[in-house]
Amino acid sequence: MKLALLLGGPLAGCGGPLEPDDTLEAQPQALAYPSGGSRTVVSRRVTYRNASGAYQAAAGFEPFRAAGASDDTLHNIRIAEVDAPAVREALVVMSAGQKISSSGHSSGVTGQSSNWDASCDGVSCPNITLDGRSLAMKLDALGWFPRGKTYLSVVNDSNFDHLDDSDSKQRVVNGFTGWIQAQVRPETRSIYLAGSSRGGCLVMRLAQALRANPALDAITIYVSSFDGVCRNSQGELGTFDSKINNPVRPWGTFYGAWATNLTAQFPRRDRLHIFHVVGGQEVAPATGIRAFSGYAGTSPPSTGTHLDWGWYKQTWVKWKHKEIGNPYTEPSSSEQAQVVAETIDAHLTWLDARVP
């Protein structure tokens, strides 16, 4: 395990028997990891219009178009290849959540600000600054996946929208899967996927597709989901209309998550490690849009507990959906350190224990 500074208190909840509901308020204390340096990147559209006005696949993103999604859909997918070395021992891909309005699209995972797309034109979005406090930049500075041997991309907009039909979503998933597989080299030994909200659902579905490919069996896949949101009315990621209540939800709230039997969703689990931090606040009132929760046994419980199945770990937190997605802009200043500890740094603590 790599070394880091202790925020305070013992590290708890990482294994052993499940805690009873009345002890879940005491969340595990994460390790404090230093910020990285901010970086300025260019985010490219997957398809763009050429001089003749016809759509064309951007260089390196051809697998998206080959998967059959519409050019209009692909035009709104924007990806920044932060580092693309020739030698690729590891692939790291992180996705922000869905942009619902003109604001609130900042991401503690990718490091983008709420107005990251202000400079976008029909081909790319230049001069996007990635916050050094983000998961992407902290991990970049830590060097667990060493720079110069790691392909690092951030998906500023996946256009993997919650209300799209199942077929459109599958085509987008297929495009991302093909693109990631195209980055694999003979020396590639690990893939790390991370995402929040709809990005959390996307990376879970990408992990499904990648782990199902026997050609990648020698590659270890790590997945970080931050209050990942899948559409239960479509059975996305196996979710269905059974809500598991958040055991540490604030008084008077109805935080909870749609149940899914993740063991059935991931029949091939060798070299697979997933960590999901879930709050379960309804993303918009009276919409039913909320995160997913795994469960053990034949049927989901009415109230959840922390889970650790070896390959899958899940921790409940009391924070709002946006606070989980970006603990640097959404919580009050008095709570920010705790939210960071239980989200961004908790994922780094988990990864720290698993990356060789």
Side-chain angles (χ1 to χ4, degrees):
M1 179 182 294
K2 278 66 66 183
L3 296 177
L5 298 176
L6 216 59
L7 230 183
L11 185 64
C14 291
L18 298 176
E19 300 170 337
D21 293 352
D22 60 0
T23 67
L24 285 178
E25 182 64 36
Q27 293 294 309
Q29 288 293 312
L31 297 175
Y33 294 92
S35 296
S38 63
R39 298 184 66 177
T40 300
V41 297
V42 176
S43 188
R44 293 188 296 140
R45 295 183 183 273
V46 168
T47 62
Y48 65 94
R49 292 187 185 275
N50 60 24
S52 301
Y55 275 116
Q56 181 173 328
F61 293 139
E62 294 86 356
F64 284 93
R65 208 174 190 203
S70 71
D71 282 320
D72 286 340
T73 295
L74 299 178
H75 184 65
N76 287 320
I77 298 176
R78 284 156 284 185
I79 301 171
E81 294 179 290
V82 181
D83 287 314
V87 175
R88 298 179 183 180
E89 294 179 358
L91 312 178
V92 176
V93 176
M94 300 189 183
S95 177
Q98 180 177 339
K99 184 170 183 178
I100 298 175
S101 65
S102 59
S103 63
H105 195 220
S106 57
S107 172
V109 175
T110 64
Q112 66 199 50
S113 66
S114 60
N115 65 344
W116 68 271
D117 57 349
S119 65
C120 291
D121 57 32
V123 176
S124 66
C125 308
N127 301 318
I128 296 175
T129 299
L130 306 182
D131 194 318
R133 300 170 298 175
S134 64
L135 178 66
M137 294 297 96
K138 281 187 172 185
L139 185 62
D140 181 55
L142 286 165
W144 299 344
F145 303 116
R147 190 183 291 186
K149 297 182 180 179
T150 298
Y151 176 86
L152 170 61
S153 282
V154 296
V155 181
N156 302 111
D157 191 339
S158 66
N159 204 21
F160 188 59
D161 290 0
H162 187 268
L163 296 179
D164 286 350
D165 63 80
S166 296
D167 181 67
S168 296
K169 289 177 182 174
Q170 187 62 59
R171 291 173 187 269
V172 170
V173 169
N174 292 347
F176 272 100
T177 302
W179 166 64
I180 292 172
Q181 289 179 158
Q183 311 314 317
V184 173
R185 301 292 184 266
E187 68 274 11
T188 304
R189 291 294 174 264
S190 57
I191 297 174
Y192 178 47
L193 309 171
S196 65
S197 191
R198 281 296 296 170
C201 185
L202 174 61
V203 297
M204 291 289 288
R205 293 190 59 180
L206 293 177
Q208 278 185 312
L210 295 170
R211 191 69 301 165
N213 182 355
L216 305 180
D217 280 355
I219 296 175
T220 302
I221 299 175
Y222 307 93
V223 186
S224 286
S225 174
F226 295 76
D227 215 37
V229 172
C230 297
R231 190 175 179 183
N232 64 304
S233 62
Q234 293 176 333
E236 191 174 19
L237 195 69
T239 54
F240 58 97
D241 291 331
S242 183
K243 182 165 78 75
I244 300 175
N245 291 318
N246 181 339
V248 297
R249 62 193 182 278
W251 186 88
T253 68
F254 296 93
Y255 292 8
W258 297 122
T260 176
N261 183 340
L262 288 177
T263 300
Q265 293 296 306
F266 290 91
R268 305 182 80 240
R269 298 185 290 276
D270 288 346
R271 297 181 180 270
L272 176 66
H273 305 278
I274 300 173
F275 181 27
H276 180 46
V277 170
V278 57
Q281 180 200 29
E282 202 168 24
V283 176
T287 61
I289 301 174
R290 60 177 74 246
F292 67 84
S293 170
Y295 67 90
T298 57
S299 60
S302 60
T303 300
T305 57
H306 297 325
L307 301 172
D308 195 337
W309 303 337
W311 67 276
Y312 178 77
K313 178 180 171 66
Q314 178 177 300
T315 300
W316 292 93
V317 295
K318 64 183 180 181
W319 310 115
K320 296 177 181 178
H321 182 70
K322 282 189 175 182
E323 292 173 335
I324 298 170
N326 195 347
Y328 300 110
T329 62
E330 299 300 329
S332 64
S333 57
S334 63
E335 293 181 321
Q336 184 183 105
Q338 186 180 359
V339 183
V340 172
E342 294 178 6
T343 57
I344 300 295
D345 283 359
H347 278 271
L348 286 170
T349 302
W350 167 82
L351 190 63
D352 187 5
R354 287 160 179 80
V355 175

